């Protein structure tokens, strides 16, 4: 029962594909560039119950032009160690002012629970470099076989960013529905700050529906290394 409860709690927490946001961009790392994104803290408060996750890790590797390998790991202190794990790829065949691609993740077993899952979505990005504006739209489906019973559903999100020197403030809305449950909707601002070889990434999302947590706070860092 403890394992099942932890897995169900996992299913309620959307992955941060483009931390600190739930959305991801229609862009990939350059070939042979390794990106490491470390989540120092995720605080999730829901109806008086607060859950902390740390560390969170997103490792991306540019394989070819327009192709990126992706991995996601999450640990919750006091919850038995690894509580989320996924591996997959992003493919962006259309690149330019408008970029279009697909991201697919295999959801891996965690906490000694059997079953796997898959999450796949279309990703669209619009870039206006003159104004420093970026718009990201995501939409797709998820089949998670780790909870009992397994869950199917959909997810969608929109993210707007402005680049102002070293600062990239943004505003995101994220929605998801699993099985017969109600729709979860989160809305909140984020900020990415370039401090040299490392980015600092912050966000604060607020739940707009009863199914969503009251507050989710994320603190991340990010860096990239060219391997050749």
């Amino acid at each position: 029962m403890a394992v099942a409860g932890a897995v169900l709690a996992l299913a309620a927490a959307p992955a941060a594909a483009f931390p600190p946001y739930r959305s991801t961009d229609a862009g990939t790392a350059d070939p042979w560039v390794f990106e490491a994104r470390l989540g120092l803290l995720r605080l999730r408060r829901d109806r008086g119950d607060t859950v902390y996750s740390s560390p969170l890790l997103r490792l991306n590797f540019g394989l070819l032009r327009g192709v990126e390998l992706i991995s996601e790991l999450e640990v919750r202190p006091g919850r038995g160690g690894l509580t989320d794990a996924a591996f997959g790829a992003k493919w962006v065949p259309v690149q330019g002012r408008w970029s279009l691609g697909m991201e697919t993740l295999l959801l891996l077993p965690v906490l000694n629970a059997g079953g796997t899952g898959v999450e796949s979505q279309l990703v669209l990005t619009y870039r206006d470099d003159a104004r420093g504006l970026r718009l990201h739209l995501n939409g797709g489906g998820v089949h998670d076989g780790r909870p009992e019973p397994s869950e199917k559903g959909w997810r969608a999100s929109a993210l707007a960013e402005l680049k102002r020197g070293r600062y990239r403030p943004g505003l995101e809305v994220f929605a998801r529905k699993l099985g017969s449950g109600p729709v979860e909707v989160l809305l909140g601002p984020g900020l990415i700050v370039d401090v040299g070889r490392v980015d600092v990434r912050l966000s604060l999302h607020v739940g707009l529906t009863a199914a969503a947590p009251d507050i989710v706070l994320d603190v991340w860092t990010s860096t990239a290394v060219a391997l050749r």
Side-chain angles (χ1 to χ4, degrees), residues 18 52 67 70 129 141 159-160 165 221:
F18 177 50
Y52 300 90
V67 178
I70 303 167
D129 293 335
L159 167 62
T221 63

Side-chain angles (χ1 to χ4, degrees), residues 4 22 56 64 164 204:
R22 274 74 185 149
L56 303 95
L64 302 169
R164 293 292 183 265
L204 179 64

Side-chain angles (χ1 to χ4, degrees), residues 120-123 137-141 155-157:
S120 187
Q121 60 179 349
L122 292 174
V123 295
L137 299 176
N138 298 176
R155 57 174 288 164
S157 60

Side-chain angles (χ1 to χ4, degrees), residues 25 28 69 92 146 165 171 182 189 200 211 226:
D25 61 336
T28 59
L69 301 180
V92 184
R146 297 172 296 182
L171 181 65
V200 175

